[in-house]
Amino acid sequence: MPSRALARVLVTAAIVPLLGLAAPQHACACSCRMITEKEAYAGADAVFVGRVVRREEVRREVQSSGDPVILVFEVRIVHKGRVARRQDVHTVSSSASCGFEAQPGAEYLVFLDQSDGELHASACSGTRGADKPLAVPSAPSYPPVLGYADYDLEGDTWSPVRAAVGGAAVVAAVVAAFLLLRRRGRGGPERG
């Protein structure tokens, strides 16, 4: 009998660690360094107050808390940087992965970093509800740039002037094609 008891103990000792390997691993929670609002402002590329009008999630077959999300804001006041009246902000879907979980319809004071021509917010950037004014008395307040931007306007990748010139070029090309087709239609076949 003692050998059976010893065998059970050995088998159990071998199986228990294997069960630990098969168990699902715990996700790591986001851990942010505590910063003051002045530090968040100083480190941000852009700061604004705006209301979330849309949340666009990228659907994938296998979903995770790190999946990308685009938040579309209606911007009311800009405190730093150049931001459009309608501005896309990139984040990830869950605060577990340091994503900024904004609710559509709610207004926020948003601190953003620019990366690859996009504006990004995170749970660690200092972003919060807009119930209190920005705690940086020297920060300016000015209106957003008119229009819609899916990336930061500080670079030369997009501007309202370029958009207007591009739109005018398209309209001119359509009018020229219409006039050319109309002229060909009037001439008809030549008679001999």
Side-chain angles (χ1 to χ4, degrees):
M1 279 298 216
S3 64
R4 272 192 169 167
L6 181 61
R8 286 185 186 151
V9 169
L10 291 175
V11 168
T12 302
I15 291 176
V16 169
L18 294 176
L19 292 174
L21 292 174
Q25 301 297 314
H26 294 295
C28 294
C30 177
S31 177
C32 302
R33 181 179 70 86
M34 295 299 292
I35 58 173
T36 66
E37 201 153 280
K38 286 182 182 180
E39 291 172 321
Y41 179 83
D45 293 316
V47 179
F48 68 78
V49 175
R51 181 176 55 88
V52 179
V53 294
R54 191 169 68 241
R55 177 183 169 96
E56 300 174 2
E57 295 186 30
V58 176
R59 297 283 180 204
R60 296 184 174 174
E61 195 170 309
V62 177
Q63 294 184 337
S64 77
S65 64
D67 287 346
V69 171
I70 299 172
L71 302 169
V72 181
F73 281 86
E74 182 74 34
V75 178
R76 186 169 54 87
I77 299 169
V78 179
H79 292 293
K80 187 175 183 180
R82 289 193 58 196
V83 180
R85 185 174 306 270
R86 283 261 175 155
Q87 181 69 54
D88 283 1
V89 172
H90 298 257
T91 189
V92 294
S93 64
S94 173
S95 60
S97 294
C98 295
F100 168 47
E101 290 189 21
Q103 300 302 314
E107 192 170 64
Y108 296 91
L109 173 63
V110 186
F111 295 84
L112 301 156
D113 296 317
Q114 180 184 5
S115 175
D116 298 324
E118 298 174 342
L119 292 176
H120 295 265
S122 76
C124 301
S125 66
T127 297
R128 61 168 173 80
D131 53 335
K132 298 180 297 188
L134 176 65
V136 182
S138 61
S141 294
Y142 47 93
V145 175
L146 294 178
Y148 179 85
D150 59 354
Y151 40 86
D152 184 26
L153 296 176
E154 293 232 7
D156 64 348
T157 56
W158 185 93
S159 73
V161 173
R162 283 190 179 169
V165 169
V170 169
V171 169
V174 169
V175 168
F178 173 75
L179 292 174
L180 184 64
L181 290 173
R182 190 171 172 197
R183 180 182 286 168
R184 284 188 182 167
R186 276 195 213 168
E190 291 187 26
R191 295 182 186 174

